[in-house]
Amino acid sequence: MTNTGRPEKTASDRAALEDRAYSKAAWRLLPFLFLCYVAAYLDRVNVGFAKLQMLSDLGFSDTVYGLGAGIFFIGYFLFEVPSNIIMHRVGARLWIARIMITWAVISAASLFVKTPTMFYIMRFLLGVAEAGFFPGIVLYLTYWFPAVRRSRMNALFMIGIPVAGVVGGPLSGWIMSAFQGVGGWSNWQWLFVLEAIPSALLGVVTLICLPDSIGAAKWLSEEEKRLLEANIQRDDAGKNQHSVSTVFSDLRIWKMAVIYFCCMMGLYGISFYLPTLVKATGVQSALEVGLLTAIPYACAVASMLFVARSSDRTGERRWHFAIPAALAGIGLFVSTQANTNVAVAMLALTVGTAGMLATMPVFWTYPSSILAGGSAAAAIGMINSIGNLAGFASASIIGWLKDVTHSTNAGIYCVSGALIFGAVLALLGKRQALNASRPVTG
């Protein structure tokens, strides 16, 4: 053996270097990506708070609101896969920055809505602008972290959803309470403008600071870069790298899309109607509604981190997905039976929200564990775009059924059933289908 003058690294030395490098990457990337997702999700769903005043100001029905809230996902669906493929080719830094700045401008411009048609157009354009952000970040994380570490990394990014609820609920409630009539604008107009500012600022920071790849990270040593790149290459070696077109004929991908559609029925049923559900228990103040909606989301932060860590530690995916999904469906159903009992309704909504959001980090370990490269980009975009059509379906169905039955209960029953169906579907098929190749012990 040739003596290079340097002692060979032991297994423990390599493990220590690897842990240090991944810790450095996680601390550099995840807090920032998390903040971006908080801003993104806040701009996407603040229409749920705007609804409390917007409908009466503009004379919109619940059907108009439901269609407008949901039509976001038509634009999202049409441009999701192309957006992810473009990001894979041009790099995350430029494309994510473009997405964030564009959606901030469109979200703020929603203050000019006067008619149902204008409402539909702005929501559609917001979906077009944001298309590719979430699956783009999911894809971006595959460039850095191998499959066995990915559930926890996904969780650290995706807790942006519940944190947006924790922060956004009280913030939106305060804006709705404090800004009515200021400068001649209604409170919902101020809501759209003020909550678009963080997205625009973070978009500029993304353009300056986000590295496109491991090799572009100035804060990693050359040895750390080589180690992380070797791990990703080894992780990709056993995956399929089909052409983009063959992704659309892969039955595994379609099954994942259906499962994700069921999950998103729950997520957007909660996101667009949680303020309405809380208000239906007898709470009238917009600020109180905002504070109460923070409770389910705060509990969801803990559930996401706990389930993701347990799933990575054991290497088990199916039950870690199915149990929270089923609990979410049960929780939402029970919330409709609480009538005006605020405590029972909030407990049920908390179980529903925490369970639903706990499914997401576990689910997104699967597509990136079986595909790589352009096929992974297309598959992640396809699954997310089809799944997010549930945002259109859930918002439209709940809004229409509320106009017909004068209650949100029938719509929530549909959402609850979808979540339980998704849990059952995830358990069908080969046991290995949603499981990691090996657990992470650290």
Side-chain angles (χ1 to χ4, degrees):
M1 181 172 63
T2 303
N3 187 355
T4 62
R6 294 178 296 177
E8 292 292 327
K9 285 189 178 295
T10 65
S12 60
D13 290 336
R14 281 185 57 83
L17 176 64
E18 184 173 303
D19 287 343
R20 185 169 65 250
Y22 280 120
S23 177
K24 191 183 294 186
W27 278 107
R28 289 280 186 163
L29 298 176
L30 270 302
F32 178 71
L33 296 176
F34 155 80
L35 284 176
C36 291
Y37 198 28
V38 170
Y41 203 76
L42 199 59
D43 283 345
R44 182 188 299 187
V45 303
N46 58 10
V47 69
F49 271 94
K51 172 183 182 287
L52 299 177
Q53 183 64 40
M54 184 181 185
L55 266 63
S56 59
D57 282 0
L58 301 179
F60 291 175
S61 67
D62 278 283
T63 300
V64 169
Y65 167 75
L67 181 59
I71 208 168
F72 166 96
F73 298 99
I74 302 300
Y76 198 86
F77 170 79
L78 293 174
F79 290 88
E80 185 88 323
V81 174
S83 178
N84 231 32
I85 294 172
I86 291 171
M87 194 202 87
H88 182 65
R89 292 176 178 172
V90 306
R93 181 182 61 85
L94 178 63
W95 198 245
I96 295 299
R98 194 283 305 163
I99 289 173
M100 295 189 69
I101 293 170
T102 305
W103 92 51
V105 171
I106 294 173
S107 182
S110 297
L111 74 93
F112 297 113
V113 166
K114 298 294 184 185
T115 67
T117 301
M118 290 176 66
F119 183 45
Y120 300 153
I121 290 172
M122 295 308 296
R123 292 294 297 175
F124 177 83
L125 291 177
L126 187 63
V128 172
E130 194 185 323
F133 176 78
F134 175 83
I137 299 299
V138 171
L139 179 65
Y140 180 68
L141 291 176
T142 70
Y143 300 162
W144 292 82
F145 301 98
V148 293
R149 293 178 178 268
R150 207 165 288 150
S151 184
R152 281 179 289 178
M153 297 303 107
N154 285 346
L156 290 171
F157 164 58
M158 294 176 193
I159 58 173
I161 298 176
V163 169
V166 173
V167 175
L171 176 63
S172 297
W174 174 72
I175 291 172
M176 294 288 286
S177 296
F179 280 79
Q180 176 62 29
V182 174
W185 285 359
S186 185
N187 51 9
W188 60 268
Q189 293 175 301
W190 279 108
L191 183 69
F192 286 132
V193 171
L194 294 177
E195 292 189 350
I197 294 172
S199 296
L201 295 177
L202 287 168
V204 174
V205 175
T206 298
L207 192 59
I208 298 170
C209 298
L210 190 71
D212 279 321
S213 63
I214 293 171
K218 297 179 181 179
W219 32 266
L220 287 174
S221 69
E222 290 303 316
E223 186 177 25
E224 289 170 336
K225 290 178 182 178
R226 286 195 299 271
L227 176 61
L228 298 193
E229 287 172 342
N231 285 349
I232 294 299
Q233 290 169 4
R234 186 163 51 250
D235 197 53
D236 287 346
K239 299 177 185 177
N240 297 319
Q241 299 205 40
H242 301 305
S243 67
V244 170
S245 61
T246 60
V247 167
F248 299 96
S249 61
D250 192 326
L251 293 180
R252 298 172 303 172
I253 305 302
W254 283 103
K255 178 181 177 181
M256 284 186 277
V258 173
I259 294 172
Y260 195 58
F261 182 93
C262 293
C263 288
M264 294 300 95
M265 283 287 288
L267 177 62
Y268 291 114
I270 292 168
S271 299
F272 290 132
Y273 283 93
L274 185 57
T276 301
L277 294 172
V278 172
K279 189 173 182 179
T281 64
V283 179
Q284 294 302 316
S285 164
L287 181 57
E288 289 180 3
V289 170
L291 291 171
L292 285 173
T293 59
I295 295 173
Y297 288 118
C299 293
V301 173
S303 72
M304 290 177 77
L305 294 174
F306 173 78
V307 172
R309 182 172 181 82
S310 175
S311 181
D312 272 353
R313 180 174 52 81
T314 62
E316 202 285 323
R317 304 300 192 198
R318 297 193 311 157
W319 287 101
H320 280 83
F321 173 89
I323 291 175
L327 287 174
I330 293 169
L332 291 179
F333 175 80
V334 172
S335 73
T336 64
Q337 310 304 305
N339 297 321
T340 58
N341 189 320
V342 178
V344 174
M346 288 307 304
L347 177 61
L349 287 170
T350 298
V351 171
T353 305
M356 194 279 115
L357 287 167
T359 66
M360 292 188 64
V362 178
F363 175 86
W364 281 110
T365 61
Y366 185 47
S368 56
S369 71
I370 64 172
L371 296 168
S375 59
I380 291 171
M382 173 185 162
I383 292 167
N384 195 60
S385 62
I386 292 174
N388 273 280
L389 284 177
F392 175 78
S394 62
S396 300
I397 288 170
I398 296 174
W400 175 70
L401 286 174
K402 186 178 180 186
D403 276 344
V404 171
T405 66
H406 306 293
S407 171
T408 57
N409 286 3
I412 297 300
Y413 296 155
C414 294
V415 170
S416 177
L419 283 164
I420 293 173
F421 177 75
V424 172
L425 189 59
L427 294 175
L428 298 178
K430 294 181 180 180
R431 183 177 181 179
Q432 296 83 1
L434 285 174
N435 290 345
S437 57
R438 59 182 174 88
V440 171
T441 57

